[in-house]
Amino acid sequence: MDDARIKQGRDGWNWLWAWANPVKFMEISGWLLPWATGIAVVTLAVGLVWGFFFTPEAARFGSSVKIIYVHVPTAMMAINIWVMMLVASLIWLIRRHHVSALAAKAAALVGVVMTLAALITGAVWGQPMWGTWWAWDPRLTSFLVLFLFYLGYMALWAAIEDPDTAADLTSVLAIVGSVFALLSRYAVNFWNQGLHQGASLSLDAEENVSDVYWQPLVICLVGFVALFVALLLVRTRTEVRKRRLHALQMRERMADA
Amino acid sequence: MIALLLRDLRLSVRAGGGFGLGLAFFLIVTALVPFGVGPEAAILAPIAPGILWVGALLACLLSLDRIFQLDFEDGTLDLLATAPIPMEGAVVMKAVAHWLTTGLPLVIAAPVFGGLLNMPPEGFLWIMGSLALGTPALSMIGAFGAALTVGLKRGGLLLSLLVLPLYIPTLIFGAEAAARGMAGFEAMTPMLMVAGITLGSIALLPFAAAAALRINLR
């Protein structure tokens, strides 16, 4: 009976683990990719155009407030992509599905770009708001740390030749890095409490932003998530194909020898 | 395990590797700061704890790739992997040896260098205490980073990049504890946080480091 239940349990998750099979993954992702791309293009176009051109300028902030349509989604994605990489790394370490490791690798570049975009848009916004491009504020500092984590992760991937070793080591790094990223978050909070924390930075969508800005912002958030999914699928598919190409080349070399 | 520790210590003292190098680097950092920011005591004294902590961190970073690299190259690490002691134990001993040759001299020398930076004597105990609590974490985190990059030809810079973000919490709390203690404020909270990071690192990172070593030796 137990076996039956285990089997049933496994079948229940089959739709998920089917992604782990590269052939199945290429099939499913090939079907999914145009949809994700379409959703991303449409929602981003609607959200950004609505946000930039059809919302009134804020009384206190002027037109610079509109950068939230890029700043908030990229900041959100910067953190979420790291979480996604952590989950993918755990799946790789526990169940050794290659697609999972490749997806984590593929996500890193998107993540680092999102982090950089959040930092840059934040600086552009911070300049007129606080009169400075950069402040050693807890949020800014922890994003800088996150940026360093992404760089280290990608550098480690690039430095190791054997793909399985690289996947193992970067997975370990992702796990340890997550613990320390959390720790850094609290550390910088503690370190610089109440020195620079500008009120405008706590512009949490639910609390401070009025309805006019809220609706396009949600659309932009959806757009950025879809954009990430699309980019992730493209990059993971590229990684899978690279792996196949490598295997073919190896086989050819073996045949020649 | 004790034999391993003694061997590492003997090697670092006799083979001219590492021992004293960290200390010399520490001296360079502390000696350069007054030239950079000016010799006024009013400027130097408040930033002294931070400078000492950054100096200690950089000195640690400098000697990290020694932890496993030589043993990896001459095959000792393979022997260690097959030795009857668990890999985790070997990692801990390596980190302890690194701390004894790099961290401990820094702790002892900190008041002298603090004096160079016009640090008031009240701060000596605090900087020594925070370094004594924090540098073991630096060695342990460093051992993890070194284990990740041990198989690489030129892992030094990559090692620094990997370890740098991991060092940030220790640095923040350590420097904060020393600065607060020196200024006479309540400093127990950051002190306890440093101790917590050290204990947590020693409890968890040997497993991660040993896993990384096993992957690299595979």
Side-chain angles (χ1 to χ4, degrees), chain B residues 76-148:
Chain B
T76 316
L77 214 53
D78 295 291
L79 290 180
L80 276 178
T82 53
I85 58 170
M87 204 66 171
E88 284 81 3
V91 168
V92 172
M93 283 304 129
K94 286 276 183 187
V96 169
H98 178 262
W99 182 73
L100 286 175
T101 52
T102 318
L104 190 61
L106 295 183
V107 173
I108 295 167
V112 181
F113 294 110
L116 286 179
L117 293 172
N118 293 313
M119 197 177 181
E122 306 89 89
F124 288 173
L125 256 174
W126 287 104
I127 189 76
M128 283 182 83
S130 67
L131 280 176
L133 280 178
T135 44
L138 298 187
S139 288
M140 197 60 241
I141 296 168
F144 167 66
L148 278 181

Side-chain angles (χ1 to χ4, degrees), chain B residues 141-156:
Chain B
I141 296 168
F144 167 66
L148 278 181
T149 53
V150 72
L152 300 173
K153 289 283 176 303
R154 286 172 299 278

Side-chain angles (χ1 to χ4, degrees), chain A residues 152 155 159 168 180 184 188 190-191, chain B residues 152 158 162 166 169 172 215 218:
Chain A
D168 280 338
F180 276 87
S184 301
V188 293
F190 171 87
W191 168 57
Chain B
L152 300 173
L158 178 60
L162 293 181
L166 301 180
I172 290 177
I215 294 163
R218 195 168 58 196

Side-chain angles (χ1 to χ4, degrees), chain A residues 25 99 102-103 106 231-241:
Chain A
F25 170 79
V99 174
L102 292 179
L231 287 174
L232 177 69
L233 290 179
V234 171
R235 287 182 53 78
T236 313
R237 285 165 67 82
T238 313
E239 292 290 340
V240 172
R241 285 187 175 132

